[in-house]
Amino acid sequence: MERDYSLKSRGQHYALLATAIVLLFAGYLAYSGDTRMAGFVAMGTLASIVGIFISGRAIDARAEKRDQDEDEGQPED
């Protein structure tokens, strides 16, 4: 359980770092005059990060429900 938390925490830090780098690149594109491409890069990055976190929560919820169902099905000691 603690290892899962550590992996998720590390993944969130890497996602934050990658997002910051890509958004800096989008800022550079906007600064250099290519605002349309900067918008595509920024919105695409943000949309994909949001999608990843939403799907991660759905997977966690399914795993938790499965674990609860398995616990209910086992006889008590």
Side-chain angles (χ1 to χ4, degrees):
M1 184 69 118
E2 190 172 318
R3 180 183 164 124
D4 288 340
Y5 176 77
S6 175
L7 288 174
K8 287 179 184 180
S9 178
R10 187 181 311 157
Q12 288 177 347
H13 287 110
Y14 284 136
L16 178 64
L17 178 65
T19 302
I21 290 170
V22 171
L23 291 178
L24 283 172
F25 176 66
Y28 170 75
L29 287 173
Y31 178 75
S32 67
D34 198 357
T35 55
R36 184 177 180 147
M37 183 57 72
F40 286 143
V41 169
M43 294 306 290
T45 300
L46 293 176
S48 64
I49 293 295
V50 168
I52 288 168
F53 282 115
I54 289 173
S55 66
R57 285 185 181 224
I59 290 169
D60 288 346
R62 266 187 262 137
E64 186 175 319
K65 183 173 179 1
R66 186 183 64 234
D67 290 345
Q68 286 176 352
D69 290 345
E70 288 175 359
D71 289 342
E72 290 175 359
Q74 294 188 6
E76 292 185 26
D77 291 331

